Every structure is written in structure tokens, then in C-alpha cells.
């Protein structure tokens, strides 16, 4: 595309409208102007002209040339405008929280640019693309989206040292994707979705050195997958689905060094699905369709945890029975070195000071949560408590073909009125220091069969007086 000045662009548009318009309309072709800018004044003039003249038939591209630009006011990106920042175009911002504002625009694109000191804010747009930018030290969010946004893409951006959330959807109706972004040193959550509706995938993102959870959804419906993301050194959960949120698959994510922020089960899991709203409050359904093929290692508490919460005076309360669940399977996950947090010898005093004593377990189904499908074909190696642990009215169908190795207590423990409605079968359990399979405290398992045990400390299969295995073969 030939680059022309703003004045020549205007003359060309007049010429096209009088001479070439019939030809263009007949061929359904689109004209476009492209403007090069080298300073802030030129940029502001180009944006003003685009706001007045850019259209679907005649979109505008503004190309910001290499150099250092100092913004003293927010860039308002109009419709039908592509704002391209060439390599080594650096924008220092003294504009408050946001350097670029996209409000009610259509067909607007930001491509590239190094923004230091402020983020990017899109509100109520259609066909919006934010890609290849670098946002450093934004005081609030690196990229924030609110209101209705149709066909929006946040792709291949780098967000560093965001003061709050790196990428956030708050009160947004979002149809598009969040993919291939790199997030480092977020002061809070990496990707935050709250009171929003999201239609698309969150995929291929890399989240490192965050002070809280990597990806968090609260009161948010996700019609898509959370897949193939990489998490490293994240102090909260890797992925947290909370408070009436739901998603399709959590699949193929890689996690290393997860937890340490809360020092307890409520902030230190690889994957957490939690519908609990607090004591005495009823939970809304909180779920994912499946949890599959994730590789999770070096986690302070549990690798995968579901928690519905009794929300009553005792564990026997069924106020939230089945409000937190997996619709299909927990399958094919690899979990290694789960439960790295080491409590002090006087851990009760540690809890009184704000620490937590939670289950350090590979797969943990707790407090009336349910797996409607199976827990199967997972590989769990080296945990500081159990391999698979169910308690307080939790329910699952079948637990089969799991490989569980180097466990401090039980390979599989079913406890406190939890139920396995199908079978615990064909699992391989090696080097469990207590029991291979333990059923106790009012828990019920329909059938146990075909499991293989090696180097079990106490008993391969242990059923206490008030635990029940209906069929053991």
C-alpha cells in the first residue's frame, strides 16, 4: 500500500468519489488511506481526521513511526481505524490509568506499540482487535474490557507489572478470544473475568510471576475452553472458577510452582472449582464440563480441587449439594509433587495467625462437590497426603485406571459420607505409606475390583467399621 500525506489523502478521496466510485462499487472493493506520523501533534491530527472521515467503505490506517512519544492525554481510537505502531515506537504515558480508549467503536485495531505507565480500555465495541502491544506498569489494568463487545480479539500482547489485573473483563458481554498473550509480574490476577459473559477460548497464554491467581472467573459464563495456557510461579491458584461461573473444558494447561499466597487450600491449587458463597449462603451452580490432559507440578496444596461448601452449621448440611461439579470426566491429567508447603511444628498457632491447614492432595473432591463422570487415567506422583481424596458428601461415579505413586498417606481415600456410585477399579497404587484404598467415616463405595498394589505400608484395601464397600472382588 502506497503511503500518502493527510492533505493528499483528502484530495484523493474527492477524486475517487467523482471519478472512480462507480467502478469501486461495481467491484465491491474498499478504498483505504494510510498516514504516517512522527510526533504527537501529527498523531492527534490524524486521529481527528479519522474520526471525521473514516468509514466502512474508506477505512484509515495511521502508522506511528519509530521514536519516543509522550502522551499527555488519552488516545481515543475511532471506528474504522487501524492504529499501527512500528517497531521501536515507545509511548510514555501521563494520562491516568489508560493510554488508549476505544468507546463504542466498530472495526478498530491497535497493532503494536510499547505503552509505559498506562493501559488500554475498550468499552462497547464491535470488531475490535488489540494485538502485539506491550503494556508496562499500568496503574490499574493492562487491558480492560467493559460492556457489550462483539467479535473482539486480545492476541499476542505482553503485559508487565500491571497494578491490578493484567487483562480484565468486568461487566462485559464478550464474543471473541484471549490468546497467545504473555503476562508477567501482575500485582493481582493475570486474566480476570467478573460479572461477564464470554464466548470464545482463553488459550495459549503464558502467565508468570503473578502475586495471585493466573486465570480467575467469578459470576461469569464462559462458552469456550481454557486450554493450552502456561503458568509458572503463580502465588494463588493456576485457574479458579468461582461463584456461579462455568466453562467448557480446562484442557492441556501446564503449571509449575503454584501457590504460596494464602498458604492454604483456598488459594494454592492448580485448578480450583468453588461455588461456596460463605456460611449460611446458598451457592449457585459452578462447574466445568471436563478437566483433562493438564500437567500440574510443584503445588503448595492440591493439584485439582472441587469445593461446594456445606454453608450450614455442620458438614452434614446439604444446602449446597452438587452445586459445584464436573459434568464429564477428570481425565488424563499428570500431577507431580503436590503439597510442597511445609507447616511449622506448631501449625495450630500458625493457623491462628492466618495460615491454613489444607489437604495436600492430587485430586480433591470436597464438601458436597460432584464428578458426574469419572476420575480416570490420571498419573499422580508424590503427594504430601493422598493421591485421590473425597470427603464430606462428595460424589463421583467411577475411579479407574489411575497410576498413583509415592504417597505419604492413602493412594485413594473416601471419607466422611462421600460416595463412589460405581467402581474403584484397575488402579495402580505404589508406595503409599498407609493404605492403597481406604473407605471410612460413613463413606460408601459400590464396588472395588482389579486394583494393583505395590509397597503399601498398612493395608492394600482398608474398610473401617463405619465405612462401607458393597462389593470387594
Amino acid at each position: 500500500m502506497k503511503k500518502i500525506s493527510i492533505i493528499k489523502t483528502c484530495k484523493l478521496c474527492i477524486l475517487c468519489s467523482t471519478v472512480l466510485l462507480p467502478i469501486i462499487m461495481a467491484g465491491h472493493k474498499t478504498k483505504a488511506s494510510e498516514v504516517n506520523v512522527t510526533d504527537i501533534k501529527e498523531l492527534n491530527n490524524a486521529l481527528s481526521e479519522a474520526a471525521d472521515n473514516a468509514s466502512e467503505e474508506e477505512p484509515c490506517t495511521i502508522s506511528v513511526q519509530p521514536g519516543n512519544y509522550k502522551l499527555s492525554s488519552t488516545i481515543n481510537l475511532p471506528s474504522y481505524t487501524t492504529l499501527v505502531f512500528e517497531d521501536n515506537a515507545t509511548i510514555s504515558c501521563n494520562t491516568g490509568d489508560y493510554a488508549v480508549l476505544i468507546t463504542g467503536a466498530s472495526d478498530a485495531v491497535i497493532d503494536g506499540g510499547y505503552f509505559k505507565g498506562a493501559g488500554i480500555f475498550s468499552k462497547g465495541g464491535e470488531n475490535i482487535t488489540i494485538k502485539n502491544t506491550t503494556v508496562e506498569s499500568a496503574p490499574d489494568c493492562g487491558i480492560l474490557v467493559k460492556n457489550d463487545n462483539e467479535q473482539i480479539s486480545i492476541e499476542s500482547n505482553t503485559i508487565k507489572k500491571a497494578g491490578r489485573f493484567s487483562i480484565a473483563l468486568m461487566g462485559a458481554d464478550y464474543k471473541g478470544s484471549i490468546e497467545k498473550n504473555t503476562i508477567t509480574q501482575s500485582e493481582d490476577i493475570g486474566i480476570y473475568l467478573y460479572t461477564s459473559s464470554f464466548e470464545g477460548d482463553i488459550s495459549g497464554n503464558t502467565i508468570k510471576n503473578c502475586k495471585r491467581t493466573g486465570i480467575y472467573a467469578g459470576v461469569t459464563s464462559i462458552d469456550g475452553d481454557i486450554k493450552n495456557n502456561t503458568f509458572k510461579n503463580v502465588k494463588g491458584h493456576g485457574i479458579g472458577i468461582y461463584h456461579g461461573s462455568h466453562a467448557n473444558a480446562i484442557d492441556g494447561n501446564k503449571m509449575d510452582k503454584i501457590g504460596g499466597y494464602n498458604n492454604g487450600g483456598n488459594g494454592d491449587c492448580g485448578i480450583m472449582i468453588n461455588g461456596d458463597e460463605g456460611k449460611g449462603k446458598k451457592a449457585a451452580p459452578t462447574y466445568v464440563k471436563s478437566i483433562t490432559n493438564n500437567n500440574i507440578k510443584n503445588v503448595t496444596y492440591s493439584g485439582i480441587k472441587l469445593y461446594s461448601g456445606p454453608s450450614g452449621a455442620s458438614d452434614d448440611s446439604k444446602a449446597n449439594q452438587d452445586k459445584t461439579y464436573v459434568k464429564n470426566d477428570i481425565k488424563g491429567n499428570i500431577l507431580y509433587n503436590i503439597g510442597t508447603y511445609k507447616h511449622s511444628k506448631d501449625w495450630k498457632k500458625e493457623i491462628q495467625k492466618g495460615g491454613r491447614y489444607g489437604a495436600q492432595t492430587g485430586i480433591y473432591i470436597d464438601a458436597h462437590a460432584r464428578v458426574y463422570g469419572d476420575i480416570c487415567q490420571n498419573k499422580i506422583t508424590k503427594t504430601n497426603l493422598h493421591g485421590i481424596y473425597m470427603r464430606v458428601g462428595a460424589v463421583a461415579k467411577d475411579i479407574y485406571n489411575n497410576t498413583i505413586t509415592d504417597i505419604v498417606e492413602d493412594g485413594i481415600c473416601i471419607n466422611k459420607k462421600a460416595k463412589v456410585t460405581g467402581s474403584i477399579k484397575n488402579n495402580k497404587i505404589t508406595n503409599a505409606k498407609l493404605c492403597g484404598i481406604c473407605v471410612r467415616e460413613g463413606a460408601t463405595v459400590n464396588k472395588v475390583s482389579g486394583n494393583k498394589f505395590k509397597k503399601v505400608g498398612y493395608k492394600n484395601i482398608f474398610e473401617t467399621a463405619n465405612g462401607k464397600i458393597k462389593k470387594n472382588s
Side-chain angles (χ1 to χ4, degrees), residues 3 34 36 63-67 84-90 111-113:
K3 297 182 180 179
E34 184 167 346
N36 291 336
S63 180
V64 181
Q65 299 303 296
V84 177
F85 293 86
E86 302 292 346
D87 290 345
N88 300 316
T90 300
D111 185 355

Side-chain angles (χ1 to χ4, degrees), residues 18-249:
T18 57
V19 179
L20 300 178
L21 183 59
I23 298 173
I24 293 173
M25 292 300 292
H28 299 286
K29 294 181 181 179
T30 299
K31 296 180 294 180
S33 64
E34 184 167 346
V35 182
N36 291 336
V37 299
T38 59
D39 60 38
I40 290 296
K41 185 177 180 180
E42 288 181 351
L43 175 59
N44 288 334
N45 289 340
L47 288 165
S48 178
E49 187 169 333
D52 291 338
N53 298 310
S55 65
E56 186 174 5
E57 292 76 23
E58 297 186 15
C60 177
T61 296
I62 300 170
S63 180
V64 181
Q65 299 303 296
N68 295 315
Y69 298 79
K70 189 171 183 178
L71 290 183
S72 58
S73 61
T74 302
I75 294 171
N76 289 282
L77 186 62
S79 296
Y80 309 112
T81 301
T82 296
L83 186 57
V84 177
F85 293 86
E86 302 292 346
D87 290 345
N88 300 316
T90 300
I91 303 92
S92 299
C93 306
N94 186 22
T95 58
D97 291 337
Y98 297 99
V100 181
L101 180 61
I102 310 168
T103 303
S106 298
D107 298 287
V109 177
I110 302 174
D111 185 355
Y114 195 115
F115 296 88
K116 191 168 183 179
I120 298 168
F121 183 11
S122 178
K123 185 177 181 181
E126 182 177 359
N127 292 330
I128 306 299
T129 300
I130 303 169
K131 65 180 180 180
N132 301 321
T133 69
T134 297
V135 179
E136 182 177 346
S137 301
D140 190 50
C141 301
I143 298 173
L144 172 62
V145 179
K146 288 188 175 182
N147 295 5
D148 293 348
N149 292 268
E150 297 279 347
Q151 300 306 318
I152 183 168
S153 173
I154 299 175
E155 178 182 348
S156 301
N157 302 283
T158 299
I159 299 99
K160 305 176 182 179
K161 301 179 182 178
R164 191 163 53 135
F165 311 125
S166 294
I167 297 174
L169 275 60
M170 291 189 278
D173 184 0
Y174 184 112
K175 294 182 180 178
S177 61
I178 299 175
E179 60 183 1
K180 300 178 183 178
N181 301 284
T182 300
I183 293 168
T184 59
Q185 295 178 280
S186 178
E187 289 294 316
D188 206 313
I189 293 166
I191 298 175
Y192 179 74
L193 297 86
Y194 187 69
T195 59
S196 294
S197 173
F198 182 94
E199 186 176 320
D201 294 334
I202 302 173
S203 65
N205 301 285
T206 299
I207 302 174
K208 295 182 179 180
N209 303 322
C210 284
K211 290 189 176 180
R212 297 200 183 183
T213 292
I215 297 174
Y216 174 98
V219 201
T220 294
S221 62
I222 301 173
D223 185 6
D225 298 335
I226 302 173
K227 63 182 182 181
N228 301 327
N229 301 285
T230 299
F231 306 80
K232 189 169 184 179
N233 194 24
V234 172
K235 296 298 183 184
H237 302 309
I239 298 170
I241 307 296
Y242 275 81
H243 308 306
S245 299
H246 61 82
N248 292 342

Side-chain angles (χ1 to χ4, degrees), residues 148-442:
D148 293 348
N149 292 268
E150 297 279 347
Q151 300 306 318
I152 183 168
S153 173
I154 299 175
E155 178 182 348
S156 301
N157 302 283
T158 299
I159 299 99
K160 305 176 182 179
K161 301 179 182 178
R164 191 163 53 135
F165 311 125
S166 294
I167 297 174
L169 275 60
M170 291 189 278
D173 184 0
Y174 184 112
K175 294 182 180 178
S177 61
I178 299 175
E179 60 183 1
K180 300 178 183 178
N181 301 284
T182 300
I183 293 168
T184 59
Q185 295 178 280
S186 178
E187 289 294 316
D188 206 313
I189 293 166
I191 298 175
Y192 179 74
L193 297 86
Y194 187 69
T195 59
S196 294
S197 173
F198 182 94
E199 186 176 320
D201 294 334
I202 302 173
S203 65
N205 301 285
T206 299
I207 302 174
K208 295 182 179 180
N209 303 322
C210 284
K211 290 189 176 180
R212 297 200 183 183
T213 292
I215 297 174
Y216 174 98
V219 201
T220 294
S221 62
I222 301 173
D223 185 6
D225 298 335
I226 302 173
K227 63 182 182 181
N228 301 327
N229 301 285
T230 299
F231 306 80
K232 189 169 184 179
N233 194 24
V234 172
K235 296 298 183 184
H237 302 309
I239 298 170
I241 307 296
Y242 275 81
H243 308 306
S245 299
H246 61 82
N248 292 342
I250 297 178
D251 178 74
N253 300 283
K254 296 180 180 179
M255 302 184 186
D256 186 11
K257 297 182 181 177
I258 305 298
Y261 178 73
N262 288 332
N263 290 336
N266 195 37
D268 303 82
C269 301
I271 298 169
M272 166 69 93
I273 317 297
N274 187 344
D276 185 38
E277 296 287 349
K279 188 174 181 179
K281 296 180 182 179
K282 190 173 182 180
T286 304
Y287 64 91
V288 295
K289 289 185 178 179
S290 60
I291 301 174
T292 52
N293 305 314
N294 301 284
N295 191 320
I296 303 171
K297 61 182 182 179
N298 302 318
V299 180
T300 54
Y301 278 76
S302 295
I304 297 169
K305 181 177 178 179
L306 277 64
Y307 183 82
S308 197
S311 292
S314 72
D315 286 345
D316 292 330
S317 170
K318 294 186 178 181
N320 286 331
Q321 188 73 53
D322 303 335
K323 295 297 183 182
T324 298
Y325 55 91
V326 174
K327 278 190 172 184
N328 300 315
D329 298 335
I330 299 176
K331 180 179 179 180
N333 301 284
I334 297 173
L335 301 110
Y336 173 79
N337 198 24
I338 307 300
T340 61
Y341 179 68
K342 305 302 180 185
H343 298 281
S344 65
K345 292 181 179 179
D346 198 356
W347 58 265
K348 290 184 179 179
K349 286 186 178 179
E350 186 176 335
I351 290 172
Q352 291 173 356
K353 292 179 181 179
R356 296 175 182 268
Y357 189 79
Q360 297 174 308
T361 296
I363 297 172
Y364 184 19
I365 317 299
D366 190 18
H368 307 289
R370 176 187 283 264
V371 181
Y372 281 95
D374 302 324
I375 303 172
C376 59
Q377 299 176 28
N378 301 285
K379 184 177 180 180
I380 303 169
T381 306
K382 193 179 179 183
T383 76
N384 205 34
L385 188 62
H386 307 301
I388 297 171
Y389 186 30
M390 295 175 56
R391 66 183 293 277
V392 189
V395 181
K397 193 171 71 171
D398 292 321
I399 300 175
Y400 69 90
N401 286 359
N402 299 285
T403 301
I404 302 171
T405 309
D406 296 335
I407 307 301
V408 169
E409 294 193 12
D410 303 322
I412 299 172
C413 181
I414 314 300
N415 191 17
K416 287 193 173 182
K417 299 185 179 179
K419 294 180 180 179
V420 177
T421 59
S423 298
I424 300 177
K425 61 184 180 182
N426 303 329
N427 300 284
K428 296 179 180 179
I429 299 172
T430 302
N431 197 23
K433 290 182 172 55
L434 288 182
C435 300
I437 297 171
C438 181
V439 182
R440 56 183 181 172
E441 294 190 39

